[in-house]
Amino acid sequence: MTLTLFRLYHILVLTLRSVCSVAFSDHDFDTRCALRNHFEPAFKTQGDFVLGGIFPLHYNQEMPDLNSTYQPPPVKCNGFDPRAFRWALTMRLAVEEINRSKELLPNHTLGYKIFDSCDYPLTGQRAVLAVVNGVTEKDHGICRGASPLLAIIGESGSSQSIVVSRILRPFRIPMISYFSSCACFADRRKYPTFFRVIPNDDYQVKAIAQLLVHFNWTWIGLIRGDREYGRFAVQGLLRELQGTSVCVAYTEIIPLIYNQQRALEIIQVALSFTERAFHSRAKVVVVFSAEGEMTPFLKDYMEQNISGIQWIASEAWVTASVFSGSHYYPYLGGTIGFGIRKGYIPGLSDFLQTVTPYIYPSNPLVHELWEALYGCASVPSSVVDLPICSGEETLMAKHAAYMNTSSPRVAYNVYKAVHAVARSLHNLLLCQPGVGPFENRKCIYNILSTGGNIEFVLVGLFDGTKTTGQELDIQEDRIIWAGHQSKVPVSVCSDSCAPGSRKAVRRGEPVCCFDCVPCDSGKISNETDSVDCAECPEDFWSNPDQTACIPKVVEFLAYDTVGIVLTVISAVGACLTIVVLVVIFHHRYTPIVRMNNSELSFFILFALVLCFLCSLVFIGEPTNWSCMLRHTAFSITFSLCISCILGKTLVVLAAFTATRPGNNVMKWLGPNQQRAIIFTSTLVQVVICVAWLIDAPPYPSRNMKYERSKIILECSNGSSLAFWCVLGYIGLQACLCFLLAFLARELPGNFNEAKFITFSMLIFCAVWLAFIPVYISSPGSYADAVESFAILASSFGLLLCLFVPKCYIILLKPEKNTKQHLISRDKK
Ligand code: TRP
């Protein structure tokens, strides 16, 4: 502000100089070129210095006839604006006050010339030419002795101000705008004589961007008027929104010449985004437009009888008179926006009340004011069809558009602008070099929201002088949102992603529109709206919600269902074997036991008990010892068992071949030899196992390959070669045994042991052949269960095939338990 005033001060010096030089040098200013137009000021007064004023006293004007072949008709404007009229009167008031003041410009008087621009750049241009030319267009201005034009207070809309400033630029006449907030004026090279008493829109767009971010409105609509103001403001807002979470769903432009068809289309677009189209809700719509364009637009909006939109109003219409009718409330209540700072002008209310058609009978604008306020004609007129005014009209609350003098905003700007010029002139006339008279003023926006009773409610402040991020101060509890809501409206394209999921941007759509995809297993996100899921550390896995990493489940064949079943089966098997052992031991002198080599039978049964028990080593958490024991114990007991069976087969085979004459095999197969065979063939397995344990013993390991979510505790074989050797050796023994038993199967005798050995080996081989593929393909702890089952199944196979027939005869058919019966062959 100081800088601005300082510049103004300099320019005033220049203006005075140039004006004077023209006044004294150009004596022969002639009437040869005369303006052919007639453009009367709304108000004028003479003074030592003249201030020009340009105000949009009408909302719009009929398109002028630009056919330059005949004298253009006078400007025809429509839609009288009482609010702008009040601004014009405020300028008059300020000038009159200054003229009366003994402190400010005590020895000088100020005059003014106030023109109507009809809110239209071309008319603004005519107005500024009229101002510089003279009191009226007919006068040829300052060089004919008229007072020097000090400055122009104006214009309102930025597009008019641009035109005005371009015309004033060559003459170095300063203009002070009270409402042109366009950021474009910041270019001092283009607009060196432009000053203003309203903050640059750069602050407003910053404030709106912060407001959007504050309420997490990330999916918004933009509507603007088709003028510089809207264009630059939208540009600025888009720039401010870059790098924030806010995306713009659509930008629509209200045409320069209002068009209902187009307005309805825009409303339709806005609505389609309010109603959850494609899951998105752009409920919040930011509008940069002036009151003149917004009034018909909002009327059309309300005629649709909809109220779903949360309007964010720019300073140009947030205090518009549209809000002063109570029927607007259901549709526009809750509108929020940044208003210009207000101030109090003492005496304004009284001054406005002095303006009546009876005091100013020749001023057509005052008549128009009466028409607009009271709907009556103050003089009989053939043009308007209105009742004649009574003369008793009083100003009431409903005339707020004109009479709202308690907290003027733009009018206060006008007042400030006049004072700024007067003060500059005063200081210029009194200034001593080096003593600057300027004070430090702030620019602060007020945030306004229309509350319950169509009142403007102050809900916060935007202070551009504070540090970035701290400028916005909002009291949310004071805001009543659109549609009577006390909750902050939601305006987002996609709902935020809960923890456990991440954002996935949709192709070809703005970043605010995304899908939420759940994190992959093993990955987590623990905050809302995460962009990525984080991988869990090695020993951890995601919980079912994917929101936290929890230690992986450690799995092994425990004493759960499977473990208990296996334990029970192995216990049953071992007990059964012991029962069989007892039975056979008890009947050890009966022929069936004696004939079938009782010592070997006891060995087999003993080995089978061990076999059943060694399946237990597979259950429980693997430790160094249990891992080493598992395969070795199992392979040695099985080797022992099969060695015994092999011995038995050999004996059976030998016994029968020995019956043939000249054969003395039995001599070589006495009990000692048998023991030796069993011992050596078991010893081979023992040697393999010892080598295995010495070289690369099995050890417990944590396997994370089978299932990434679990740690499987298993025994690593150490050496697979050794493992397969051990199994292969058992297989070899079993096959040999099977082959021999198969040869002996046809031997005579009612009780043919060889047949049962064949069966048992068949079952044994079948079980272990089936085991191999299942074992290889079973993950982790299942492999242990499979092996344990295979051990149990093959042990049962052996027990049942070899001993059930014997027990059957011993216990149930004792009459058959004779040597005679066993050797002889029953006739079929
Ligand atoms: N701040 C606006 C501007 O700079 C205010 C305004 C006044 C306006 N009259 C207008 C905006 C007309 C658009 C149209 O222009």
Side-chain angles (χ1 to χ4, degrees), residues 738 741-742 745 753-763:
F738 171 70
F742 186 76
R745 80 193 183 287
E753 178 100 79
K755 207 162 63 189
F756 298 118
I757 294 176
T758 317
F759 275 140
S760 70
M761 284 303 121
L762 257 184
I763 291 178

Side-chain angles (χ1 to χ4, degrees), residues 255-275:
L256 203 52
I257 296 166
Y258 190 78
N259 169 337
Q260 194 184 32
Q261 176 80 29
R262 182 77 196 103
L264 291 180
E265 280 169 23
I266 295 173
I267 292 169
Q268 224 38 58
V269 170
L271 282 183
S272 71
F273 276 93
T274 332
E275 293 153 6

Side-chain angles (χ1 to χ4, degrees), residues 119 156-158 179-182 227 229 290 293 315-316:
D119 212 5
S156 159
S158 296
F179 208 2
S180 295
S181 51
C182 179
R227 301 201 194 195
Y229 166 67
E293 301 158 323
E315 105 295 341

Side-chain angles (χ1 to χ4, degrees), residues 179-192:
F179 208 2
S180 295
S181 51
C182 179
C184 49
F185 290 112
D187 186 343
R188 298 301 308 168
R189 272 174 309 154
K190 265 192 182 163
Y191 308 103

Side-chain angles (χ1 to χ4, degrees), residues 404-477:
N404 178 7
T405 51
S406 60
S407 55
R409 292 168 190 279
V410 182
Y412 186 62
N413 278 354
V414 173
Y415 191 76
K416 275 195 290 193
V418 176
H419 272 268
V421 176
R423 218 168 265 265
S424 304
L425 181 62
H426 181 89
N427 291 332
L428 178 67
L429 297 172
L430 292 181
C431 193
Q432 294 158 358
V435 190
F438 312 117
E439 65 181 45
N440 199 10
R441 286 191 216 171
K442 287 179 180 176
C443 44
I444 298 174
Y445 278 110
N446 288 342
I447 307 167
L448 294 181
S449 165
T450 51
N453 205 4
I454 313 300
E455 259 176 18
F456 294 109
V457 185
L458 189 71
V459 293
L461 284 177
F462 182 84
D463 186 344
T465 59
K466 289 198 175 160
T467 50
T468 319
Q470 312 231 298
E471 299 112 316
L472 192 68
D473 168 26
I474 293 190
Q475 286 145 302
E476 277 175 47
D477 48 323

Side-chain angles (χ1 to χ4, degrees), residues 592 751 805-814 816-817 822:
I592 192 159
F751 190 85
K806 276 187 199 134
C807 291
Y808 172 76
I809 291 178
I810 293 171
L811 298 174
L812 301 177
K813 294 278 189 279
K816 291 191 177 167
N817 195 355
L822 293 172

